[in-house]
DNA sequence: CCGAATGAAAT
DNA sequence: ATTTCATTCGG
């Protein structure tokens, strides 16, 4: 529970509230509007009977949450738990009904479904170190602000020898491994090819007409070839959806109209709260508007395995369901029936039109374009105002509906469709988690905080000493590169040559690097080297 | 929301 | 080589 508790999106304080929380609220509203889904979903659940394992696992994955919490420092984290407790309970007891209810509403649940996407990066050794020792430093310098503390921590870290760092590295690695195995889908970058967005490349051809926000939002989308040929979202970022796309979506077929549509939608979404309804209306209107064109454009998609096509339709369907008034089941049924009755292109087109916006959103969501807290920031940078409200919804609902639909389809078709074929796809949409994680999940579950606490605490005084020593040494070296005999009486006195790290390196890596490597490292290494080697060996043996 | 640190991963 | 983002929290 603890882990779960922490988990979830603890809002990074400011970051979150700006974007995420708000969206959450929206979600709630949205849900209220369409309670219908619940029933449907529930049905699906009970009917289909998901394996509990899955659910469980996913819950565990919540670990993704940020690592630690609960301990003193992060009271803030705990704050936004309003909903959690309840929800969690519900989940445990009536996981079916609960999760069924409104995944959308409850971010937590939603996250369960697609934890990997929202999962935060596992902290590196240094960050863990910070977590543990920040309080110490702060105690020493109560007045210094956090940045200063961080700086000190950086120095401290730099002065640590491998042996001392080892526990942190190990823990970091351990956690990372567990985390990754728990969240196979995890992506380090939530946005599409962020590093590449040079800003200058930000195309604005068509989008130029639209409001800036819209313009910005377009790139992450399916980016029409015309826009940014080279800048298509990379697959790695798209994750599970990619497969979907390949198989089902005819994204590539997107036309100007579509893009426009999407953009507009985005625009609306940017102020979801106020414009939610409107956006829906608008959507409809747009449908009407663009329908003719779309029809024309959409036409081409002839040869595709029927399965795929069906699946594709599902995709659209479910997407639509989320927001439309249609009943899920109704809609699905309709679709299914329709599909098998005849291959009406019309039907297809229609749905297509209908959900363009939604689809886009969904795409964004599943493509991990939308992230967690941080996405706010990114969003701003990108100006990718997306509605996150229904993302979660989409996930859950979609998933369930999809499965159900598939099942129904299978029935209808007399099992013409093998589950094997479809299932994988479906699963890929979300997380593969349950597969091999069973055992690992437990590891994941481990409480990082606890582990951190258990880590050996380093003495600040020692750090200070070393600092001095280093200075001394440096000085000495400067004056004369004689031999440095350091007092090993100190402690381990191991202190390896301060290895130039981090931002220092970044800043003026060259200068500092030079300095360090040239004068510092070489001379005094003898004794150190041995120790270092020892430490390394020890570390290695321990690992094994 | 930035930034201060380091580091892992991705581009 | 460079960029993101993971942590924390005062400004």
């Amino acid at each position: 529970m603890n882990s779960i508790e922490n988990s979830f999106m603890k809002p990074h304080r400011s970051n979150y509230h700006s974007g995420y929380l708000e969206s959450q609220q929206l979600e709630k509203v949205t849900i209220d509007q369409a309670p219908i889904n619940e029933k449907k979903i529930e049905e699906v659940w009970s009917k289909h009977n998901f394996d509990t394992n899955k659910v469980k696992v996913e819950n565990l994955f919540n670990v993704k949450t940020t690592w630690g919490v609960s301990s003193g420092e992060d009271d803030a984290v705990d704050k936004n738990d309003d909903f959690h407790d309840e929800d969690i309970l519900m989940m445990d007891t009536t996981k079916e009904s609960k999760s069924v209810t409104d995944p959308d509403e409850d971010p937590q649940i939603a996250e369960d479904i697609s934890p990997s996407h929202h999962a935060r990066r596992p902290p590196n050794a240094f960050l863990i170190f910070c977590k543990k020792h920040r309080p110490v430093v702060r105690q020493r310098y109560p007045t210094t602000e956090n940045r200063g503390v961080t700086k000190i921590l950086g120095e401290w870290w730099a002065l640590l020898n491998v042996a001392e760092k080892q526990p942190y590295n190990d823990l970091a690695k351990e956690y990372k491994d567990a985390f990754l195995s728990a969240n196979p889908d995890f992506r380090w970058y939530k946005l599409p090819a962020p590093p590449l967005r040079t800003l200058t490349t930000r195309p604005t051809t068509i989008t130029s007409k639209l409001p800036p926000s819209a313009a910005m939002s377009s790139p992450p989308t399916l980016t029409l070839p015309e826009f940014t040929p080279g800048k298509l979202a990379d697959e790695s970022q798209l994750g599970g959806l990619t497969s979907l796309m390949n198989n089902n979506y005819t994204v590539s077929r997107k036309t100007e109209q579509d893009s426009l549509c999407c953009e507009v939608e985005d625009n609306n979404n940017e102020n979801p709260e106020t414009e939610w309804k409107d956006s829906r209306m608008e959507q409809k209107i747009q449908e009407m508007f663009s329908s003719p064109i779309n029809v024309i454009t959409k036409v081409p998609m002839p040869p595709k395995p029927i399965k795929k096509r069906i699946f594709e339709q599902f995709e659209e369907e479910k997407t639509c369901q989320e927001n439309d008034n249609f009943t899920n089941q109704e809609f699905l049924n309709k679709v299914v029936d329709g599909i098998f009755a005849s291959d009406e292109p019309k039907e297809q087109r229609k749905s297509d039109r209908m959900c363009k916006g939604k689809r886009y959103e969904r795409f964004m969501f599943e493509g991990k374009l939308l992230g967690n807290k941080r996405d706010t920031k990114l969003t701003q940078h990108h100006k990718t105002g997306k509605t996150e409200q229904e993302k979660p919804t989409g996930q859950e609902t979609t998933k369930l509906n999809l499965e159900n639909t598939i099942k129904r389809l299978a029935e209808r078709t007399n099992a013409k469709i093998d589950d094997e074929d479809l299932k994988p796809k479906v699963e890929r949409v979300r997380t593969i988690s349950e597969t091999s994680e069973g055992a690992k999940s437990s590891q994941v579950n481990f409480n990082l905080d606890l582990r951190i606490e258990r880590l050996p605490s380093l003495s600040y005084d020692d750090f200070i000493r070393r600092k001095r020593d280093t200075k001394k040494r440096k000085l000495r070296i400067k004056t004369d590169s004689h031999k440095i005999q350091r007092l090993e009486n100190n402690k381990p006195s191991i202190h390896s040559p301060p290895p130039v790290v981090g931002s220092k390196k970044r800043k003026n890596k060259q200068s500092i690097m030079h300095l360090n490597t040239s004068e510092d490292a070489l001379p005094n290494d003898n004794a150190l080297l041995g120790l270092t080697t020892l430490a390394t060996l020890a570390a290695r043996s321990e690992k094994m």
Side-chain angles (χ1 to χ4, degrees):
Chain A
M1 186 135 170
N2 205 356
S3 60
I4 293 175
E5 188 176 291
N6 312 340
S7 56
F8 194 37
M9 53 185 282
K10 99 22 75 250
H12 225 9
R13 257 179 187 291
S14 35
N15 280 342
Y16 256 172
H17 71 12
S18 55
Y20 206 95
L21 289 181
E22 283 174 5
S23 64
Q24 282 179 22
Q25 291 195 340
L26 276 183
E27 285 177 25
K28 280 182 182 174
V29 174
T30 307
I31 287 167
D32 286 317
Q33 287 180 329
I36 307 171
N37 282 346
E38 297 187 7
K39 225 181 186 172
K40 270 19 180 174
I41 298 173
E42 200 166 346
E43 225 178 291
V44 175
W45 271 81
S46 56
K47 197 173 186 176
H48 202 102
N49 180 13
F50 268 63
D51 12 8
T52 52
N53 282 344
K54 222 181 253 181
V55 178
K56 235 187 200 146
V57 173
E58 290 173 48
N59 281 345
L60 290 180
F61 292 165
N62 267 346
V63 176
K64 81 178 158 232
T65 56
T66 202
W67 39 310
V69 201
S70 63
S71 346
E73 262 187 284
D74 339 76
D75 22 321
V77 174
D78 298 340
K79 286 180 194 163
N80 63 331
D81 283 340
D82 338 73
F83 38 88
H84 294 31
D85 291 335
E86 276 184 281
D87 294 343
I88 290 173
L89 274 176
M90 301 267 297
M91 273 166 72
D92 285 350
T93 56
T94 56
K95 88 184 61 158
E96 287 186 19
S97 58
K98 203 333 179 283
S99 18
V100 170
T101 39
D102 8 277
D104 348 7
E105 168 183 351
D106 189 329
Q108 174 120 34
I109 294 179
E111 257 202 49
D112 291 350
I113 284 129
S114 60
S116 353
H117 314 333
H118 304 315
R120 300 159 92 104
R121 290 182 180 186
N124 61 31
F126 171 69
L127 286 177
I128 292 175
F129 169 79
C130 281
K131 170 118 179 155
K132 188 167 180 66
H133 295 282
R134 186 180 296 276
V136 176
V137 176
R138 193 175 282 174
Q139 196 176 342
R140 222 85 173 192
Y141 305 88
T143 57
T144 17
E145 60 177 305
N146 220 20
R147 285 140 83 182
V149 174
T150 306
K151 213 174 214 168
I152 294 171
L153 286 168
E155 290 180 32
W156 192 350
W157 179 254
L159 288 179
L160 294 179
N161 61 47
V162 286
E164 288 163 325
K165 284 182 182 175
Q166 192 203 330
Y168 295 89
N169 286 313
D170 289 349
L171 181 53
K173 189 176 180 7
E174 190 184 345
Y175 182 75
K176 188 184 76 176
D177 291 344
F179 175 85
L180 288 181
S181 59
N183 305 6
D185 295 353
F186 174 75
R187 242 130 273 167
W188 290 81
Y189 299 89
K190 280 141 192 169
L191 286 178
L196 294 181
R197 64 171 170 37
T198 41
L199 200 52
T200 60
T201 56
R202 235 64 200 143
T204 33
T205 41
I206 292 178
T207 30
S208 60
K209 284 183 171 186
L210 300 163
S213 57
M216 293 306 259
S217 61
S218 66
T221 70
L222 315 180
T223 76
L224 323 182
E226 329 136 47
F227 279 10
T228 46
K231 281 246 180 288
L232 292 170
D234 56 26
E235 293 216 343
S236 64
Q237 308 274 357
L238 297 180
L241 186 62
T242 303
S243 60
L244 271 179
M245 301 273 303
N246 291 338
N247 297 331
N248 315 303
Y249 279 109
T250 56
V251 176
S252 56
R253 287 231 168 298
K254 279 220 156 245
T255 61
E256 280 195 13
Q257 279 298 323
D258 288 7
S259 70
L260 265 171
C261 221
C262 287
E263 284 162 7
V264 175
E265 181 85 7
D266 291 349
N267 215 8
N268 289 339
N269 288 339
E270 225 153 352
N271 317 320
E273 292 139 275
T274 56
E275 314 241 335
W276 174 232
K277 283 184 182 175
D278 288 306
S279 81
R280 289 174 81 181
M281 302 262 291
E282 190 139 351
Q283 209 181 326
K284 257 140 195 169
I285 295 173
Q286 283 191 10
E287 291 173 30
M288 297 177 69
F289 237 55
S290 56
S291 73
I293 297 173
N294 277 329
V295 172
I296 297 169
T297 57
K298 181 69 184 187
V299 170
M301 78 170 266
K304 236 188 205 164
I306 188 168
K307 266 194 221 166
K308 287 182 182 175
R309 233 161 66 210
I310 292 165
F311 190 79
E312 182 175 0
Q313 291 193 355
F314 290 163
E315 273 295 348
E316 295 172 4
E317 293 332 322
K318 67 184 180 197
T319 311
C320 290
Q321 296 171 15
E322 292 155 24
N323 313 296
D324 274 295
N325 295 330
F326 296 67
T327 326
N328 295 333
Q329 206 60 47
E330 258 180 10
F331 208 63
L332 281 178
N333 293 345
K334 205 171 158 192
V335 173
V336 173
D337 295 345
I339 290 172
F340 285 98
S342 65
D343 237 313
E344 297 192 42
K346 204 176 184 182
E347 182 70 302
Q348 207 176 330
R349 270 182 257 126
K350 185 184 170 190
S351 57
D352 193 285
R353 266 184 281 129
M354 277 175 64
C355 320
K356 214 159 290 165
K358 261 65 193 185
R359 257 175 37 211
Y360 169 73
E361 287 172 7
R362 202 143 171 293
F363 169 81
M364 293 296 288
F365 176 61
E366 294 197 353
K368 287 67 182 160
L369 302 184
L370 299 169
N372 45 12
K373 78 170 179 203
R374 207 67 182 181
D375 70 332
T376 307
K377 186 182 186 178
L378 297 167
T379 299
Q380 286 184 346
H381 288 178
H382 276 209
K383 243 75 163 286
T384 309
K386 228 94 251 98
T387 74
E388 332 199 356
Q389 358 177 350
E390 52 191 22
K391 260 88 203 197
T393 311
Q395 274 283 354
E396 253 284 329
T397 316
T398 297
K399 225 248 151 114
L400 298 177
N401 287 334
L402 230 181
E403 291 230 8
N404 182 40
T405 307
I406 291 171
K407 221 173 180 179
R408 288 200 58 224
L409 254 180
E411 288 178 11
R412 275 192 163 270
T413 52
N414 262 348
K416 192 106 191 179
I417 301 169
D418 29 9
D419 287 349
E420 258 98 59
D421 238 351
L422 291 173
K423 261 234 155 109
K425 284 180 195 165
V426 176
E427 292 207 358
R428 220 175 306 167
V429 175
R430 37 140 64 173
T431 133
I432 306 162
S433 39
E434 86 279 20
T435 48
S436 60
E437 269 58 80
K440 298 216 165 175
S441 60
S442 59
Q443 290 183 12
V444 174
N445 230 2
F446 74 44
N447 188 331
L448 219 180
D449 282 335
L450 199 84
R451 296 293 300 270
I452 292 176
E453 280 188 36
R454 290 174 66 180
L455 284 175
S457 209
L458 299 164
S459 135
Y460 183 81
D461 293 335
D462 203 37
F463 158 57
I464 297 291
R465 262 178 245 152
R466 288 188 197 183
K467 204 170 165 185
R468 274 191 209 139
D469 289 355
T470 322
K471 266 185 190 166
K472 266 190 188 173
R473 220 193 312 150
K474 255 182 188 166
L475 226 148
R476 222 186 284 169
I477 294 164
K478 212 173 184 180
T479 55
D480 115 19
S481 63
H482 198 26
K483 60 177 72 162
I484 313 110
Q485 70 220 46
R486 331 197 352 228
L487 29 174
E488 29 244 276
N489 61 356
N490 245 359
K491 231 197 162 184
S493 81
I494 302 172
H495 112 351
S496 56
V500 182
V501 279
S503 57
K504 269 182 199 162
K505 209 195 257 171
R506 281 168 205 151
K507 250 184 175 166
N508 33 355
K509 48 181 145 187
Q510 287 181 356
S511 63
I512 291 182
M513 252 208 165
H514 272 3
L515 242 102
N516 248 331
T517 53
S518 62
E519 28 186 324
D520 210 348
L522 284 178
N524 45 338
D525 262 39
N526 277 343
L528 295 180
L529 234 145
L531 282 164
T532 304
T533 311
L534 260 173
T536 309
L537 279 176
R540 213 170 274 180
S541 63
E542 218 178 31
K543 259 183 192 168
M544 297 175 74

